Amino acid sequence: MSDSTVTQPEGREEGAVPQAVTGESEQRFLGRLRTPRRPRLWFEILLIAVSYWTYSLIRNAVPEQRGKALRNADWIWQTEHRLGIAVEESVNHAVNSVTWLIVGMNYYYATLHFVVTLTVLVWLYRSHPGRYAATRLVLFATTGVALVGYYLYPLAPPRLMDGSRFVDTVMVHQTWGSMASGDLKHMSNQYAAMPSMHIGWSLWCGLTVFALARVPWVRVLGLLYPAATLVVIVATANHFWLDAVGGMLCLAFGYTLAGLWYGSLPYALPRLVPSQPPGRRSPSWAQAS
């Protein structure tokens, strides 16, 4: 009786099946990471607190490089003059002449940057849990790349330029406001003006509200918020308007990263995350981009 022989199917090598299983497992793992899931309140509070603490620590740890920051500010100001777009000083003086208006802007600059951003995050958490993680990723990526800008391009705000006629509105009107003015200036890096996260965060808030809110006037307010913020950062002499462009570029990076990770814009993801028993696969509509 002859020995029986076992032959491998043509074109198939040993180990092909384990490799396929490994690749499929990796795809399932990535799929789970990318699938929207219900956020956990305790984790989100901890994440936001730790992230902001880390952001502040790194931002303030960046060398101030005063000389370089002032040279960069002079270069931007001269370039704007050559291009005929240097409007910041005129806006600063015009608004500063109306006391109630500039005082209001000082408090706007100091508070709404945090209040509105946190409010939008809470609204997303409660009303759009399926879109929360992706939209939060946009904000975090925007803030993270801004730190690179602070390190590579130190920039003095207009109010600190040597020989300029800009008015430091917080100092003049003695309002509680900018962390970079008065008694609080030693707690913050004063030469981290590029990019402007007041614009990056406010535009994130505005686009999120405009895309997801159902009430028309609320959507309009969403668009007006970053526009008003731009006027405020210029009128208070805390930023050149080109700093706002830097903030917009950082936000574009954040949206690009989130789009690549989730396969679509955050606002196109499902609004709700369905509850399901442990181990059960998510329905196809929840995994789709």
Side-chain angles (χ1 to χ4, degrees), residues 137-177:
L137 175 60
V138 175
L139 182 65
F140 279 34
T142 298
T143 307
V145 76
L147 292 173
V148 179
Y150 299 148
Y151 183 84
L152 296 178
Y153 196 79
L155 181 67
R159 59 185 176 78
L160 291 183
M161 291 174 59
D162 292 333
S164 72
R165 296 178 58 249
F166 283 98
V167 178
D168 187 337
T169 59
V170 172
M171 291 290 291
V172 169
H173 298 280
Q174 295 297 302
T175 54
W176 176 84

mmCIF file of all heavy atoms in Angstrom, residues 137-177:
data_model
loop_
_atom_site.group_PDB
_atom_site.id
_atom_site.type_symbol
_atom_site.label_atom_id
_atom_site.label_comp_id
_atom_site.label_asym_id
_atom_site.label_seq_id
_atom_site.Cartn_x
_atom_site.Cartn_y
_atom_site.Cartn_z
ATOM 1 N N LEU A 137 -11.719 65.445 19.177
ATOM 2 C CA LEU A 137 -10.404 65.218 18.581
ATOM 3 C C LEU A 137 -9.964 66.420 17.758
ATOM 4 O O LEU A 137 -8.783 66.795 17.770
ATOM 5 C CB LEU A 137 -10.434 63.960 17.704
ATOM 6 C CG LEU A 137 -9.147 63.649 16.918
ATOM 7 C CD1 LEU A 137 -7.966 63.437 17.867
ATOM 8 C CD2 LEU A 137 -9.345 62.418 16.032
ATOM 9 N N VAL A 138 -10.894 67.037 17.043
ATOM 10 C CA VAL A 138 -10.568 68.243 16.273
ATOM 11 C C VAL A 138 -10.015 69.318 17.195
ATOM 12 O O VAL A 138 -8.971 69.929 16.923
ATOM 13 C CB VAL A 138 -11.816 68.777 15.533
ATOM 14 C CG1 VAL A 138 -11.506 70.103 14.845
ATOM 15 C CG2 VAL A 138 -12.314 67.757 14.519
ATOM 16 N N LEU A 139 -10.699 69.547 18.313
ATOM 17 C CA LEU A 139 -10.271 70.587 19.255
ATOM 18 C C LEU A 139 -8.910 70.267 19.850
ATOM 19 O O LEU A 139 -8.041 71.144 19.942
ATOM 20 C CB LEU A 139 -11.321 70.721 20.366
ATOM 21 C CG LEU A 139 -11.055 71.793 21.425
ATOM 22 C CD1 LEU A 139 -11.093 73.180 20.807
ATOM 23 C CD2 LEU A 139 -12.077 71.684 22.554
ATOM 24 N N PHE A 140 -8.695 69.024 20.243
ATOM 25 C CA PHE A 140 -7.438 68.652 20.872
ATOM 26 C C PHE A 140 -6.279 68.712 19.875
ATOM 27 O O PHE A 140 -5.179 69.154 20.217
ATOM 28 C CB PHE A 140 -7.542 67.245 21.459
ATOM 29 C CG PHE A 140 -8.221 67.197 22.800
ATOM 30 C CD1 PHE A 140 -9.258 68.070 23.104
ATOM 31 C CD2 PHE A 140 -7.849 66.273 23.752
ATOM 32 C CE1 PHE A 140 -9.888 68.031 24.327
ATOM 33 C CE2 PHE A 140 -8.478 66.225 24.991
ATOM 34 C CZ PHE A 140 -9.502 67.103 25.284
ATOM 35 N N ALA A 141 -6.526 68.260 18.640
ATOM 36 C CA ALA A 141 -5.470 68.306 17.626
ATOM 37 C C ALA A 141 -5.127 69.750 17.276
ATOM 38 O O ALA A 141 -3.945 70.088 17.075
ATOM 39 C CB ALA A 141 -5.913 67.547 16.380
ATOM 40 N N THR A 142 -6.130 70.599 17.211
ATOM 41 C CA THR A 142 -5.905 72.025 16.945
ATOM 42 C C THR A 142 -5.017 72.640 18.016
ATOM 43 O O THR A 142 -4.057 73.367 17.722
ATOM 44 C CB THR A 142 -7.254 72.764 16.895
ATOM 45 O OG1 THR A 142 -8.048 72.238 15.827
ATOM 46 C CG2 THR A 142 -7.053 74.263 16.686
ATOM 47 N N THR A 143 -5.334 72.347 19.264
ATOM 48 C CA THR A 143 -4.569 72.896 20.384
ATOM 49 C C THR A 143 -3.157 72.329 20.420
ATOM 50 O O THR A 143 -2.189 73.047 20.698
ATOM 51 C CB THR A 143 -5.297 72.599 21.702
ATOM 52 O OG1 THR A 143 -6.652 73.062 21.618
ATOM 53 C CG2 THR A 143 -4.602 73.283 22.864
ATOM 54 N N GLY A 144 -3.042 71.040 20.112
ATOM 55 C CA GLY A 144 -1.725 70.409 20.136
ATOM 56 C C GLY A 144 -0.774 70.994 19.112
ATOM 57 O O GLY A 144 0.397 71.275 19.420
ATOM 58 N N VAL A 145 -1.260 71.199 17.894
ATOM 59 C CA VAL A 145 -0.376 71.727 16.858
ATOM 60 C C VAL A 145 -0.051 73.196 17.128
ATOM 61 O O VAL A 145 0.996 73.700 16.694
ATOM 62 C CB VAL A 145 -1.009 71.539 15.462
ATOM 63 C CG1 VAL A 145 -2.126 72.541 15.201
ATOM 64 C CG2 VAL A 145 0.055 71.636 14.359
ATOM 65 N N ALA A 146 -0.933 73.892 17.862
ATOM 66 C CA ALA A 146 -0.642 75.277 18.228
ATOM 67 C C ALA A 146 0.603 75.376 19.094
ATOM 68 O O ALA A 146 1.367 76.350 19.003
ATOM 69 C CB ALA A 146 -1.841 75.894 18.950
ATOM 70 N N LEU A 147 0.828 74.369 19.934
ATOM 71 C CA LEU A 147 2.020 74.369 20.779
ATOM 72 C C LEU A 147 3.299 74.374 19.949
ATOM 73 O O LEU A 147 4.301 74.969 20.344
ATOM 74 C CB LEU A 147 2.001 73.146 21.701
ATOM 75 C CG LEU A 147 0.911 73.132 22.775
ATOM 76 C CD1 LEU A 147 0.898 71.787 23.492
ATOM 77 C CD2 LEU A 147 1.124 74.263 23.767
ATOM 78 N N VAL A 148 3.247 73.706 18.797
ATOM 79 C CA VAL A 148 4.397 73.712 17.888
ATOM 80 C C VAL A 148 4.651 75.132 17.387
ATOM 81 O O VAL A 148 5.799 75.585 17.302
ATOM 82 C CB VAL A 148 4.167 72.741 16.717
ATOM 83 C CG1 VAL A 148 5.364 72.763 15.765
ATOM 84 C CG2 VAL A 148 3.919 71.332 17.226
ATOM 85 N N GLY A 149 3.567 75.838 17.071
ATOM 86 C CA GLY A 149 3.704 77.223 16.625
ATOM 87 C C GLY A 149 4.307 78.120 17.687
ATOM 88 O O GLY A 149 5.163 78.964 17.391
ATOM 89 N N TYR A 150 3.899 77.933 18.937
ATOM 90 C CA TYR A 150 4.444 78.749 20.022
ATOM 91 C C TYR A 150 5.946 78.530 20.174
ATOM 92 O O TYR A 150 6.693 79.468 20.504
ATOM 93 C CB TYR A 150 3.752 78.416 21.349
ATOM 94 C CG TYR A 150 2.266 78.672 21.352
ATOM 95 C CD1 TYR A 150 1.408 77.883 22.109
ATOM 96 C CD2 TYR A 150 1.720 79.706 20.600
ATOM 97 C CE1 TYR A 150 0.049 78.118 22.122
ATOM 98 C CE2 TYR A 150 0.364 79.946 20.602
ATOM 99 C CZ TYR A 150 -0.467 79.150 21.360
ATOM 100 O OH TYR A 150 -1.816 79.376 21.360
ATOM 101 N N TYR A 151 6.375 77.293 19.945
ATOM 102 C CA TYR A 151 7.794 76.981 20.105
ATOM 103 C C TYR A 151 8.616 77.497 18.922
ATOM 104 O O TYR A 151 9.690 78.077 19.111
ATOM 105 C CB TYR A 151 7.982 75.469 20.241
ATOM 106 C CG TYR A 151 9.420 75.065 20.485
ATOM 107 C CD1 TYR A 151 9.948 75.081 21.771
ATOM 108 C CD2 TYR A 151 10.254 74.690 19.431
ATOM 109 C CE1 TYR A 151 11.260 74.722 22.014
ATOM 110 C CE2 TYR A 151 11.573 74.341 19.667
ATOM 111 C CZ TYR A 151 12.071 74.358 20.949
ATOM 112 O OH TYR A 151 13.380 74.015 21.179
ATOM 113 N N LEU A 152 8.114 77.302 17.710
ATOM 114 C CA LEU A 152 8.889 77.639 16.522
ATOM 115 C C LEU A 152 8.826 79.118 16.163
ATOM 116 O O LEU A 152 9.749 79.630 15.515
ATOM 117 C CB LEU A 152 8.389 76.812 15.324
ATOM 118 C CG LEU A 152 8.574 75.295 15.422
ATOM 119 C CD1 LEU A 152 7.995 74.623 14.184
ATOM 120 C CD2 LEU A 152 10.045 74.936 15.596
ATOM 121 N N TYR A 153 7.751 79.792 16.571
ATOM 122 C CA TYR A 153 7.587 81.188 16.144
ATOM 123 C C TYR A 153 7.103 82.040 17.309
ATOM 124 O O TYR A 153 5.937 82.418 17.387
ATOM 125 C CB TYR A 153 6.599 81.265 14.976
ATOM 126 C CG TYR A 153 6.665 82.579 14.229
ATOM 127 C CD1 TYR A 153 7.676 82.830 13.299
ATOM 128 C CD2 TYR A 153 5.726 83.579 14.456
ATOM 129 C CE1 TYR A 153 7.741 84.028 12.613
ATOM 130 C CE2 TYR A 153 5.781 84.785 13.764
ATOM 131 C CZ TYR A 153 6.793 85.003 12.852
ATOM 132 O OH TYR A 153 6.856 86.194 12.159
ATOM 133 N N PRO A 154 7.974 82.354 18.251
ATOM 134 C CA PRO A 154 7.574 83.252 19.343
ATOM 135 C C PRO A 154 7.194 84.608 18.771
ATOM 136 O O PRO A 154 7.871 85.134 17.882
ATOM 137 C CB PRO A 154 8.832 83.331 20.209
ATOM 138 C CG PRO A 154 9.963 82.979 19.293
ATOM 139 C CD PRO A 154 9.410 81.988 18.328
ATOM 140 N N LEU A 155 6.111 85.159 19.283
ATOM 141 C CA LEU A 155 5.596 86.415 18.736
ATOM 142 C C LEU A 155 5.027 87.276 19.846
ATOM 143 O O LEU A 155 4.203 86.823 20.647
ATOM 144 C CB LEU A 155 4.505 86.130 17.699
ATOM 145 C CG LEU A 155 3.886 87.361 17.027
ATOM 146 C CD1 LEU A 155 4.909 88.063 16.143
ATOM 147 C CD2 LEU A 155 2.658 86.970 16.225
ATOM 148 N N ALA A 156 5.475 88.520 19.894
ATOM 149 C CA ALA A 156 4.933 89.466 20.862
ATOM 150 C C ALA A 156 3.584 89.982 20.374
ATOM 151 O O ALA A 156 3.403 90.229 19.179
ATOM 152 C CB ALA A 156 5.898 90.640 21.048
ATOM 153 N N PRO A 157 2.622 90.157 21.263
ATOM 154 C CA PRO A 157 1.361 90.789 20.870
ATOM 155 C C PRO A 157 1.584 92.261 20.569
ATOM 156 O O PRO A 157 2.573 92.850 21.033
ATOM 157 C CB PRO A 157 0.469 90.591 22.098
ATOM 158 C CG PRO A 157 1.418 90.453 23.237
ATOM 159 C CD PRO A 157 2.634 89.774 22.687
ATOM 160 N N PRO A 158 0.717 92.884 19.800
ATOM 161 C CA PRO A 158 0.909 94.302 19.438
ATOM 162 C C PRO A 158 1.113 95.220 20.635
ATOM 163 O O PRO A 158 1.920 96.167 20.572
ATOM 164 C CB PRO A 158 -0.384 94.644 18.688
ATOM 165 C CG PRO A 158 -0.835 93.337 18.112
ATOM 166 C CD PRO A 158 -0.455 92.301 19.125
ATOM 167 N N ARG A 159 0.416 94.967 21.744
ATOM 168 C CA ARG A 159 0.496 95.864 22.902
ATOM 169 C C ARG A 159 1.875 95.873 23.560
ATOM 170 O O ARG A 159 2.177 96.768 24.351
ATOM 171 C CB ARG A 159 -0.571 95.470 23.928
ATOM 172 C CG ARG A 159 -0.422 94.056 24.416
ATOM 173 C CD ARG A 159 -1.555 93.605 25.345
ATOM 174 N NE ARG A 159 -1.386 92.204 25.689
ATOM 175 C CZ ARG A 159 -0.526 91.766 26.575
ATOM 176 N NH1 ARG A 159 0.262 92.628 27.219
ATOM 177 N NH2 ARG A 159 -0.411 90.478 26.830
ATOM 178 N N LEU A 160 2.721 94.872 23.249
ATOM 179 C CA LEU A 160 4.054 94.804 23.856
ATOM 180 C C LEU A 160 5.164 95.230 22.899
ATOM 181 O O LEU A 160 6.334 95.155 23.257
ATOM 182 C CB LEU A 160 4.335 93.377 24.352
ATOM 183 C CG LEU A 160 3.517 92.893 25.548
ATOM 184 C CD1 LEU A 160 3.954 91.494 25.963
ATOM 185 C CD2 LEU A 160 3.630 93.853 26.721
ATOM 186 N N MET A 161 4.815 95.663 21.714
ATOM 187 C CA MET A 161 5.840 96.067 20.752
ATOM 188 C C MET A 161 6.558 97.330 21.205
ATOM 189 O O MET A 161 5.938 98.259 21.737
ATOM 190 C CB MET A 161 5.203 96.303 19.378
ATOM 191 C CG MET A 161 4.697 95.049 18.692
ATOM 192 S SD MET A 161 3.810 95.446 17.166
ATOM 193 C CE MET A 161 5.111 96.306 16.240
ATOM 194 N N ASP A 162 7.864 97.367 20.991
ATOM 195 C CA ASP A 162 8.657 98.542 21.341
ATOM 196 C C ASP A 162 8.312 99.698 20.405
ATOM 197 O O ASP A 162 8.282 99.549 19.180
ATOM 198 C CB ASP A 162 10.145 98.224 21.230
ATOM 199 C CG ASP A 162 10.598 97.228 22.281
ATOM 200 O OD1 ASP A 162 9.974 97.176 23.359
ATOM 201 O OD2 ASP A 162 11.572 96.488 22.024
ATOM 202 N N GLY A 163 8.046 100.866 21.020
ATOM 203 C CA GLY A 163 7.812 102.064 20.233
ATOM 204 C C GLY A 163 6.491 102.105 19.508
ATOM 205 O O GLY A 163 6.277 102.981 18.653
ATOM 206 N N SER A 164 5.578 101.202 19.815
ATOM 207 C CA SER A 164 4.279 101.205 19.132
ATOM 208 C C SER A 164 3.296 102.110 19.863
ATOM 209 O O SER A 164 3.507 102.487 21.018
ATOM 210 C CB SER A 164 3.712 99.793 19.050
ATOM 211 O OG SER A 164 3.265 99.360 20.334
ATOM 212 N N ARG A 165 2.206 102.435 19.202
ATOM 213 C CA ARG A 165 1.166 103.267 19.801
ATOM 214 C C ARG A 165 -0.040 102.439 20.228
ATOM 215 O O ARG A 165 -1.116 102.982 20.496
ATOM 216 C CB ARG A 165 0.742 104.345 18.797
ATOM 217 C CG ARG A 165 1.855 105.331 18.442
ATOM 218 C CD ARG A 165 1.399 106.350 17.409
ATOM 219 N NE ARG A 165 0.243 107.110 17.845
ATOM 220 C CZ ARG A 165 -0.974 107.009 17.317
ATOM 221 N NH1 ARG A 165 -1.200 106.139 16.327
ATOM 222 N NH2 ARG A 165 -1.979 107.738 17.754
ATOM 223 N N PHE A 166 0.134 101.130 20.287
ATOM 224 C CA PHE A 166 -0.981 100.284 20.712
ATOM 225 C C PHE A 166 -1.279 100.501 22.196
ATOM 226 O O PHE A 166 -0.376 100.739 22.993
ATOM 227 C CB PHE A 166 -0.657 98.814 20.470
ATOM 228 C CG PHE A 166 -0.776 98.390 19.033
ATOM 229 C CD1 PHE A 166 0.352 98.314 18.224
ATOM 230 C CD2 PHE A 166 -2.010 98.074 18.488
ATOM 231 C CE1 PHE A 166 0.258 97.925 16.900
ATOM 232 C CE2 PHE A 166 -2.116 97.683 17.156
ATOM 233 C CZ PHE A 166 -0.985 97.608 16.363
ATOM 234 N N VAL A 167 -2.557 100.394 22.548
ATOM 235 C CA VAL A 167 -3.001 100.564 23.921
ATOM 236 C C VAL A 167 -3.239 99.191 24.543
ATOM 237 O O VAL A 167 -3.989 98.368 23.992
ATOM 238 C CB VAL A 167 -4.308 101.385 23.981
ATOM 239 C CG1 VAL A 167 -4.794 101.509 25.429
ATOM 240 C CG2 VAL A 167 -4.111 102.752 23.351
ATOM 241 N N ASP A 168 -2.589 98.923 25.675
ATOM 242 C CA ASP A 168 -2.876 97.712 26.435
ATOM 243 C C ASP A 168 -4.135 97.999 27.231
ATOM 244 O O ASP A 168 -4.108 98.586 28.307
ATOM 245 C CB ASP A 168 -1.705 97.369 27.359
ATOM 246 C CG ASP A 168 -1.876 96.020 28.051
ATOM 247 O OD1 ASP A 168 -3.025 95.557 28.180
ATOM 248 O OD2 ASP A 168 -0.865 95.421 28.446
ATOM 249 N N THR A 169 -5.269 97.560 26.705
ATOM 250 C CA THR A 169 -6.565 97.977 27.250
ATOM 251 C C THR A 169 -6.824 97.436 28.654
ATOM 252 O O THR A 169 -7.540 98.065 29.438
ATOM 253 C CB THR A 169 -7.699 97.536 26.310
ATOM 254 O OG1 THR A 169 -7.668 96.105 26.157
ATOM 255 C CG2 THR A 169 -7.546 98.180 24.942
ATOM 256 N N VAL A 170 -6.271 96.289 28.989
ATOM 257 C CA VAL A 170 -6.449 95.758 30.338
ATOM 258 C C VAL A 170 -5.707 96.625 31.347
ATOM 259 O O VAL A 170 -6.220 96.922 32.427
ATOM 260 C CB VAL A 170 -5.961 94.296 30.408
ATOM 261 C CG1 VAL A 170 -5.961 93.794 31.850
ATOM 262 C CG2 VAL A 170 -6.843 93.392 29.545
ATOM 263 N N MET A 171 -4.505 97.048 31.003
ATOM 264 C CA MET A 171 -3.723 97.900 31.899
ATOM 265 C C MET A 171 -4.357 99.276 32.039
ATOM 266 O O MET A 171 -4.468 99.818 33.151
ATOM 267 C CB MET A 171 -2.301 98.024 31.359
ATOM 268 C CG MET A 171 -1.492 96.740 31.427
ATOM 269 S SD MET A 171 -1.067 96.290 33.126
ATOM 270 C CE MET A 171 0.097 97.597 33.511
ATOM 271 N N VAL A 172 -4.790 99.854 30.921
ATOM 272 C CA VAL A 172 -5.333 101.213 30.956
ATOM 273 C C VAL A 172 -6.633 101.280 31.739
ATOM 274 O O VAL A 172 -6.857 102.207 32.539
ATOM 275 C CB VAL A 172 -5.544 101.727 29.520
ATOM 276 C CG1 VAL A 172 -6.353 103.028 29.518
ATOM 277 C CG2 VAL A 172 -4.204 101.947 28.834
ATOM 278 N N HIS A 173 -7.507 100.314 31.548
ATOM 279 C CA HIS A 173 -8.834 100.356 32.184
ATOM 280 C C HIS A 173 -8.901 99.534 33.461
ATOM 281 O O HIS A 173 -9.962 99.449 34.086
ATOM 282 C CB HIS A 173 -9.891 99.885 31.191
ATOM 283 C CG HIS A 173 -9.990 100.763 29.982
ATOM 284 N ND1 HIS A 173 -10.678 101.964 29.984
ATOM 285 C CD2 HIS A 173 -9.460 100.624 28.735
ATOM 286 C CE1 HIS A 173 -10.582 102.521 28.786
ATOM 287 N NE2 HIS A 173 -9.852 101.733 28.008
ATOM 288 N N GLN A 174 -7.763 98.915 33.834
ATOM 289 C CA GLN A 174 -7.679 98.186 35.100
ATOM 290 C C GLN A 174 -8.783 97.148 35.250
ATOM 291 O O GLN A 174 -9.413 97.006 36.299
ATOM 292 C CB GLN A 174 -7.725 99.164 36.277
ATOM 293 C CG GLN A 174 -6.537 100.105 36.359
ATOM 294 C CD GLN A 174 -5.215 99.354 36.577
ATOM 295 O OE1 GLN A 174 -5.064 98.626 37.558
ATOM 296 N NE2 GLN A 174 -4.276 99.542 35.671
ATOM 297 N N THR A 175 -9.017 96.408 34.185
ATOM 298 C CA THR A 175 -10.002 95.330 34.248
ATOM 299 C C THR A 175 -9.295 94.003 34.463
ATOM 300 O O THR A 175 -8.151 93.823 34.049
ATOM 301 C CB THR A 175 -10.815 95.253 32.942
ATOM 302 O OG1 THR A 175 -9.923 95.145 31.834
ATOM 303 C CG2 THR A 175 -11.694 96.472 32.778
ATOM 304 N N TRP A 176 -10.005 93.098 35.121
ATOM 305 C CA TRP A 176 -9.481 91.749 35.250
ATOM 306 C C TRP A 176 -9.635 91.086 33.896
ATOM 307 O O TRP A 176 -10.706 91.073 33.316
ATOM 308 C CB TRP A 176 -10.255 90.967 36.298
ATOM 309 C CG TRP A 176 -9.807 89.541 36.403
ATOM 310 C CD1 TRP A 176 -8.755 89.076 37.122
ATOM 311 C CD2 TRP A 176 -10.374 88.413 35.745
ATOM 312 N NE1 TRP A 176 -8.631 87.713 36.958
ATOM 313 C CE2 TRP A 176 -9.615 87.283 36.124
ATOM 314 C CE3 TRP A 176 -11.443 88.231 34.878
ATOM 315 C CZ2 TRP A 176 -9.904 85.990 35.668
ATOM 316 C CZ3 TRP A 176 -11.729 86.956 34.413
ATOM 317 C CH2 TRP A 176 -10.965 85.857 34.812
ATOM 318 N N GLY A 177 -8.528 90.609 33.349
ATOM 319 C CA GLY A 177 -8.646 90.087 32.004
ATOM 320 C C GLY A 177 -7.510 89.199 31.606
ATOM 321 O O GLY A 177 -7.326 88.121 32.160
#
